Amino acid sequence: AFVLVIVMVLVLYIRVRNHLGKPIKKLVDEVGVIATGDLTSDIERPRYCDEIITLAQGVGEMQRKIREVVEPVVEMSDSIVSSIHQLTRASKNMSNAANQQAASLEEISSSMEEMGANIQQNTDNSVVTNKVAEEISRRVGELGSASNNSYEAIRNIANDVNAINELVMQTNILALNASVEAAR
């Protein structure tokens, strides 16, 4: 009887293990696969034990619901990654354009500095030219004054020459009259 009880317990243990243990172990393995993030495998439905079948169905339903929630998130993340790549390209393009504009602004700044230096040099030249023009104006004024003095002197000389010419003419007339008198 004791041996028979032990054999029955052993047979019962093997049957319980086959009917309950294997399906539970398989279900635990499938839940482990889901826990790693793989939602593609389907939960197999065990053949025995209504509670384990219900548990497997519940885990399968949970997997399907998780898949329904995760798939849009994956699609959204793929879309976000694509948008990030586009933004990165746009950012690089904007960075390149900004660098080109910075280089252009630097060239413009350099040109403006050169123009400023040229304007300063032109201003300095204008000041020197103004001083030279004032000196020329002063000298022209002096020259005009000297010219007026020269003109007055030349006019006086011309008057004196005219007076001398008149004297010479009168002397010539007198000499001519004297010659005519002498010849007579």
Side-chain angles (χ1 to χ4, degrees):
F2 180 70
V3 172
L4 186 60
V5 169
I6 290 183
V7 170
M8 283 178 63
V9 168
L10 189 57
V11 169
L12 187 61
Y13 171 74
I14 291 173
R15 287 187 62 93
V16 167
R17 189 170 150 238
N18 286 340
H19 289 297
L20 294 177
K22 285 183 182 178
I24 289 175
K25 174 146 179 24
K26 190 169 185 173
L27 188 59
V28 167
D29 291 342
E30 290 174 346
V31 168
V33 168
I34 292 172
T36 64
D38 183 8
L39 299 174
T40 59
S41 66
D42 290 325
I43 304 290
E44 288 186 32
R45 184 176 172 186
R47 291 178 288 179
Y48 311 106
C49 188
D50 290 340
E51 289 80 12
I52 295 176
I53 291 172
T54 304
L55 178 63
Q57 286 175 343
V59 170
E61 183 68 22
M62 180 183 69
Q63 180 187 22
R64 198 173 80 253
K65 294 285 184 184
I66 290 173
R67 193 181 306 151
E68 287 175 4
V69 169
V70 169
E71 284 178 350
V73 171
V74 169
E75 290 174 7
M76 181 85 64
S77 68
D78 289 343
S79 174
I80 288 172
V81 167
S82 174
S83 296
I84 287 172
H85 288 301
Q86 290 175 353
L87 284 172
T88 301
R89 282 192 298 272
S91 175
K92 285 180 183 177
N93 290 342
M94 288 177 65
S95 174
N96 290 339
N99 287 339
Q100 290 174 351
Q101 286 183 352
S104 295
L105 287 174
E106 191 173 315
E107 288 177 17
I108 290 170
S109 175
S110 175
S111 297
M112 294 296 282
E113 285 178 13
E114 286 180 29
M115 287 174 59
N118 288 340
I119 289 171
Q120 183 60 42
Q121 186 174 1
N122 287 344
T123 302
D124 294 343
N125 289 343
S126 294
V127 169
V128 170
T129 303
N130 191 28
K131 288 179 182 177
V132 169
E134 287 174 358
E135 181 67 21
I136 289 172
S137 176
R138 186 182 61 78
R139 289 189 181 179
V140 164
E142 290 174 2
L143 183 62
S145 179
S147 201
N148 285 337
N149 292 341
S150 295
Y151 175 71
E152 287 296 321
I154 290 171
R155 205 167 87 205
N156 289 338
I157 291 171
N159 287 339
D160 291 345
V161 166
N162 282 337
I164 292 170
N165 278 340
E166 282 182 27
L167 282 174
V168 168
M169 244 170 143
Q170 286 176 2
T171 305
N172 282 341
I173 291 174
L174 287 175
L176 189 60
N177 282 339
S179 300
V180 170
E181 279 301 319
R184 253 198 249 177

